[in-house]
Amino acid sequence: DTGVSQNPRHKITKRGQNVTFRCDPISEHNRLYWYRQTLGQGPEFLTYFQNEAQLEKSRLLSDRFSAERPKGSFSTLEIQRTEQGDSAMYLCASSSTRRDSSYEQYFGPGTRLTVT
Amino acid sequence: AQSVTQPDIHITVSEGASLELRCNYSYGATPYLFWYVQSPGQGLQLLLKYFSGDTLVQGIKGFEAEFKRSQSSFNLRKPSVHWSDAAEYFCAVGARSSGSARQLTFGSGTQLTVLP
């Protein structure tokens, strides 16, 4: 079990540029989540995949955000036309579908985005 | 919708002293409850969880938490704190609902400082 991995760990970009983050979940987990965490706050839910299907999106996920999980394995989160307010830590988590265990989410180290 | 309150933004304790971090939740039924720990620049590590049964749950690193339905609380405790416990602690609640995303709702966190 290698855990959840995320790349890159840090990204600095200029306002208006597009950025893409990648998440590789724990291999046997078919549920995948994206959260956003700003300074001094707890993580906030953005979106959720079960296998390749994106089943839920938060109102926090504006039209500039898009997430994919094309083969039900890794996932990408793209932010278009970044704004300074997008600066945050983007966390990915995964869980299994086994009963009760499906609530146990395991988090990656996060990608810290800074928009200048 | 569920919510979580962590009333203490910052707590300072001396090494070897006991610790209690408070967590109150709002949810219409018995939720799933979690405590996570986050070290600087890192993702979240699951400390312990409550699903059902015994209301006193044991976790990793010597932590325990007690679910009190009458008080809507899930406080985290440790009898003797170590310097390595200095980190930010997040309480989270998951809704019991089949077919839902089962995303977690987090509190805003408690920063723990440990004095030598």
Side-chain angles (χ1 to χ4, degrees):
Chain A
D1 180 359
T2 57
V4 179
S5 61
Q6 293 186 245
N7 288 288
R9 294 290 306 275
H10 303 273
K11 178 71 177 179
I12 300 174
T13 191
K14 292 184 178 180
R15 188 178 56 183
Q17 297 295 305
N18 298 345
V19 294
T20 300
F21 310 140
R22 176 179 170 127
C23 170
D24 288 89
I26 294 171
S27 58
E28 65 268 26
H29 287 181
N30 55 5
R31 290 174 178 247
L32 186 147
Y33 303 79
W34 285 99
Y35 290 82
R36 183 176 69 184
Q37 184 180 21
T38 53
L39 203 60
Q41 298 298 317
E44 296 172 290
F45 170 73
L46 291 178
T47 190
Y48 155 69
F49 290 85
Q50 182 159 330
N51 299 313
E52 66 277 7
Q54 187 175 18
L55 298 182
E56 193 156 330
K57 293 194 285 189
S58 159
R59 278 175 279 183
L60 290 176
L61 211 66
S62 76
D63 291 344
R64 297 184 297 105
F65 287 69
S66 62
E68 293 182 340
R69 195 182 182 197
K71 296 182 180 178
S73 57
F74 73 91
S75 175
T76 58
L77 177 68
E78 181 183 16
I79 309 174
Q80 296 182 327
R81 305 181 303 281
T82 52
E83 301 173 355
Q84 287 187 323
D86 297 330
S87 296
M89 175 81 89
Y90 290 85
L91 294 164
C92 176
S94 69
S95 69
S96 76
T97 52
R98 290 184 302 158
R99 186 164 174 257
D100 281 351
S101 294
S102 64
Y103 285 86
E104 289 184 37
Q105 295 182 25
Y106 294 87
F107 283 80
T111 295
R112 180 165 296 284
L113 173 66
T114 303
V115 181
T116 61
Chain B
Q2 62 263 34
S3 65
V4 177
T5 302
Q6 293 181 246
D8 304 305
I9 297 173
H10 195 177
I11 282 185
T12 300
V13 299
S14 297
E15 190 169 19
S18 64
L19 172 70
E20 182 169 28
L21 303 183
R22 295 184 291 164
C23 172
N24 293 97
Y25 68 89
S26 173
Y27 184 63
T30 302
Y32 291 135
L33 294 161
F34 305 84
W35 275 98
Y36 283 85
V37 61
Q38 186 177 36
S39 297
Q42 301 299 311
L44 286 82
Q45 181 182 22
L46 180 62
L47 282 177
L48 47 77
K49 61 187 183 288
Y50 172 77
F51 287 168
S52 64
D54 193 347
T55 56
L56 184 63
V57 294
Q58 303 296 321
I60 62 171
K61 304 185 180 187
F63 285 93
E64 66 178 25
E66 186 172 12
F67 170 59
K68 292 186 177 180
R69 185 192 308 272
S70 62
Q71 298 176 19
S72 297
S73 70
F74 189 57
N75 295 348
L76 181 71
R77 300 194 295 246
K78 187 170 185 179
S80 178
V81 170
H82 188 261
W83 64 266
S84 61
D85 294 325
E88 189 149 26
Y89 292 79
F90 292 94
C91 181
V93 61
R96 289 180 186 260
S97 175
S98 62
S100 73
R102 304 186 182 184
Q103 71 267 33
L104 300 178
T105 299
F106 286 86
S108 54
T110 297
Q111 181 69 47
L112 174 66
T113 298
V114 181
L115 300 177

